[in-house]
């Protein structure tokens, strides 16, 4: 029989402190109450072989054994096993460290088996290991949090302040990541580590300056500097490889563009006024900027196209388009999502509603996907023109977050009028912002909407309120923390709603309105509605 324990605890201290102090085996007697001594026997690179000796237990017995421990800083994991197994047939351990919003989640896993000759039954050992692990974790947490607060006795300065400094250096780190992307460094070290001089020759860079860049990148885990001076890739760097299907490379390059960095430099303006920062930073709203700078607009569309491909299959698994006979994609770009839906529903037809300049370019996509004969293209402005009726499914994919509530209500009310008395469905593909202090990328994307567009991401209660005011209900509870599908049902047309026909003027509240559905950039990392492959 084999035994298994799995315990975790949240330590309110910086990752570097938790990692460094829990992997300093020589200092374990000050960190754990059960160890009287820790003797380092051998070091080989990052791995360490050591002997632990315990304080006498309740029976006066002292335990001692030799273990080997191999930390991996790139993945924040540690593997260890006993070399002197004592009563165990084997004892293997794995430690994991996960960064959370309020600290480091530390997880310890132990897998073991007892020797047939062991005086301790497996069940008793399992109970003992679980009990002592919980006790030791609580003590380690207490010690590390005290050290983090004290700081000066265990490192240079207050380590929480160091973490704040790390966050403050965000623009510098973003510049490091962008430069690595522009030089193609991650692709150059993907197959084998290389020196700064080798990389500089290929990337046409100054060797000394490039080394300093690589050293900084390695300090935050983007690369790993080896003892021989070569730099290797890490799991963090893999996300920038150009040959990966879900590469963040387009987003990294996009996020450094002036139409993103400029408005974010005026974030305070948006916070004080509640308005986008594009006018003070760029001289116009974002859409007019793209019209006046077509290269920037093309880059934006390319990024949205690349990111928009990620989750189509998962979203269609929820939509299940095969249950509908006619599907309308409102603000559907060049038709990639609609085409994917119709491929799953060979007996269905579709309506693609978009602004004239976009829908005119949809033929290539629809023909390529083999659905052109089943799609009716309608050019229009969904704030001024009626939404096509006669459909039993309507899709708004990454549309509503571009707009404040009053504009979103106007659009939803128009869709509701198009549905009329039919038992149709509305599918809204959006983020649901999580509650509390939980990490959620939507909270960053929400600032993108504020600063660049004047829109917003919404919590579940905000979605329910928005739908309810427009004659829809949202059954069930959709997931949080990623792009999801909100399936809405029409309620009675007499249900209260604020977005009546003449409730609002057609013009946008700030600046000239884009004629139909724009895609909003995922500056912080998640895809929005693209005008390209979905």
């Amino acid at each position: 029989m084999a035994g298994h324990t799995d315990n975790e605890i949240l330590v309110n201290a910086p990752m570097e402190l938790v990692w460094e102090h829990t992997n300093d085996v020589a200092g374990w007697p000050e960190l754990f109450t059960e160890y009287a001594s820790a003797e380092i026997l051998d070091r080989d690179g990052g791995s360490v072989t050591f002997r632990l000796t315990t304080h006498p237990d309740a029976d006066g017995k002292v335990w001692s054994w030799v273990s080997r421990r191999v930390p991996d800083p790139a993945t924040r994991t540690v593997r260890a096993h006993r070399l002197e197994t004592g009563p165990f047939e084997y004892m293997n351990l794995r430690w994991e460290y996960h960064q959370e919003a309020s600290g480091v989640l530390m997880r310890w896993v132990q897998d073991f088996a007892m020797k047939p000759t062991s005086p301790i039954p497996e069940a008793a050992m399992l109970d003992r290991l679980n009990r002592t692990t919980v006790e030791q974790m609580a003590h380690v947490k207490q010690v590390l949090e005290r050290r983090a607060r004290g700081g000066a006795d265990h490192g240079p300065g207050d380590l929480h302040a160091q973490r704040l400094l790390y966050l403050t250096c965000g623009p510098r780190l973003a510049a490091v990541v962008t430069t690595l992307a522009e030089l193609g460094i991650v692709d150059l070290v993907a197959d084998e580590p290389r020196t700064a001089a080798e990389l500089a020759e290929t990337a046409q860079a100054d060797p000394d300056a490039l080394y300093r860049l690589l050293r900084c990148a390695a300090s935050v885990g983007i690369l790993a500097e080896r003892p021989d001076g070569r730099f290797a890739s890490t799991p963090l760097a893999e996300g920038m490889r150009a040959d990966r299907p879900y590469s963040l490379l387009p987003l990294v390059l996009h996020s450094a563009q002036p139409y993103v960095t400029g408005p974010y430099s005026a974030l305070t303006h948006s916070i004080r006024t509640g308005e986008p920062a594009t006018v003070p930073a760029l001289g116009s709203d974002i859409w007019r900027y793209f019209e006046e700078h077509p290269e920037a607009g093309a880059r934006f569309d390319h990024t949205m196209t690349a990111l928009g491909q990620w989750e189509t299959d998962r979203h269609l698994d929820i939509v299940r388009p095969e249950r509908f006979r006619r599907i309308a994609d409102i603000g559907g770009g060049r038709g990639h999502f609609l085409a994917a839906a119709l491929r799953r529903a060979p007996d269905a037809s579709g309506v693609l509603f978009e602004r004239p300049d976009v829908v005119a370019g949809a033929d290539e996509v629809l023909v390529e996907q083999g659905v052109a004969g089943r799609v009716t293209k309608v050019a229009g402005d969904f704030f001024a023109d009626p939404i096509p009726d006669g459909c039993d499914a309507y899709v708004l994919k990454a549309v509503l977050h571009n707009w404040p509530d009053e504009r979103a209500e106007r659009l939803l009310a128009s869709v509701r009028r198009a549905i009329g008395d039919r038992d149709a469905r509305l599918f809204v593909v959006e983020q649901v912002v999580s509650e509390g202090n939980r990490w959620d990328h939507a909270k960053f994307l929400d600032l993108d909407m504020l600063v660049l567009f004047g829109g917003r991401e919404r919590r579940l209660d905000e979605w329910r309120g928005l739908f309810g005011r427009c004659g829809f209900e949202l059954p069930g509870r959709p997931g949080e923390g990623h792009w999801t599908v909100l399936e809405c049902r029409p309620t009675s047309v007499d249900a209260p709603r604020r977005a009546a026909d003449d409730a609002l003027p057609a013009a946008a509240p700030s600046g000239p309105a884009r004629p139909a559905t724009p895609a909003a950039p995922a500056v912080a990392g998640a895809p929005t509605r693209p005008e390209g492959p979905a």
Side-chain angles (χ1 to χ4, degrees), residues 133-209:
T133 298
V134 170
E135 293 172 352
Q136 292 303 310
M137 277 187 147
H139 183 73
V140 168
K141 169 184 170 71
Q142 184 181 40
V143 172
L144 293 179
E145 291 180 351
R146 184 173 64 247
R147 291 179 180 180
R149 290 192 298 271
D153 294 334
H154 298 278
D158 183 339
L159 290 171
H160 280 293
Q162 286 189 9
R163 185 179 180 190
L164 179 60
L165 179 62
Y166 180 91
L167 295 174
T168 304
C169 286
R172 298 173 179 84
L173 291 173
V176 169
V177 174
T178 301
T179 305
L180 292 174
E182 291 176 343
L183 297 177
I185 297 298
V186 171
D187 292 312
L188 294 176
V189 299
D191 296 327
E192 61 178 351
R194 300 177 67 179
T195 65
E198 293 170 338
L199 292 169
E201 182 176 358
T202 305
Q204 298 182 332
D206 178 82
D208 178 65

Side-chain angles (χ1 to χ4, degrees), residues 17-56:
L17 182 145
V18 177
W19 174 265
E20 176 185 349
H21 288 235
T22 56
N23 285 291
D24 176 20
V25 177
W28 278 9
E30 299 177 8
L31 195 60
F32 297 83
T33 62
E34 60 183 330
Y35 301 136
S37 66
E39 178 186 2
I40 305 301
L41 304 178
D42 181 56
R43 293 187 185 274
D44 181 10
S47 65
V48 58
T49 303
F50 56 96
R51 174 176 292 281
L52 287 176
T53 303
T54 69
H55 294 290

Side-chain angles (χ1 to χ4, degrees), residues 254 259 287 290 296-305 453 519-521:
H254 157 86
Y259 59 79
W287 305 116
F290 286 150
R299 178 183 288 273
F300 170 79
D301 286 342
H302 172 74
T303 304
M304 298 304 102
T305 294
F453 298 94

